[in-house]
Amino acid sequence: MALNDYADATVDAVERPERPVPSGRIRRRTALAIAGILTAGALTLAAASGGCRSLMGAWAPAAAGWAYDLKLKSTPAGPAAMETPRGPSTSSRVRWPPGADRTPRPGPVPPCCAAPSPPLWSAPTPTP
């Protein structure tokens, strides 16, 4: 939401003046900083909880969300960018291409993910 408020500040000033950025409760620059911090935190948590594979799975939706808000929203690529973070099956009732099988297929594994990443922390072992 913070990135959306940053990107849509001029439109929201007319259409939704009560929102935090157009109303002046939050500066536009602050909204951008919050978006960056939250994105970095999400990527850090993904890496910490599941290693490289989790990070690789989290960066593409994060990048697509940023691209959508900052550049693609009003372009023909906007809907595709919007679908990427959510996945086509959650935001669309239409199979694309028609008749497509939505069974996940394993893709190529980046070199950094070839071996399992150890967790950054583990739960303490209970003592008897």
Side-chain angles (χ1 to χ4, degrees), residues 9-112:
T10 55
V11 173
D12 286 348
V14 174
E15 296 179 3
R16 297 180 186 141
E18 73 282 355
R19 294 196 61 136
V21 173
S23 68
R25 292 189 316 254
I26 296 177
R27 292 184 349 197
R28 194 165 179 240
R29 182 184 304 172
T30 303
L32 181 61
I34 290 169
I37 290 167
L38 291 174
T39 302
L43 294 174
T44 301
L45 286 173
S49 66
C52 182
R53 288 179 190 257
S54 292
L55 179 60
M56 295 301 288
W59 80 266
W66 278 75
Y68 174 79
D69 274 331
L70 297 178
K71 293 288 180 190
L72 301 176
K73 189 180 291 189
S74 60
T75 70
M82 186 63 149
E83 294 262 333
T84 301
R86 297 183 180 137
S89 63
T90 59
S91 62
S92 173
R93 297 182 193 274
V94 179
R95 288 187 172 277
W96 186 256
D101 178 15
R102 292 201 184 264
T103 305
R105 306 264 191 264
V109 177
C112 70

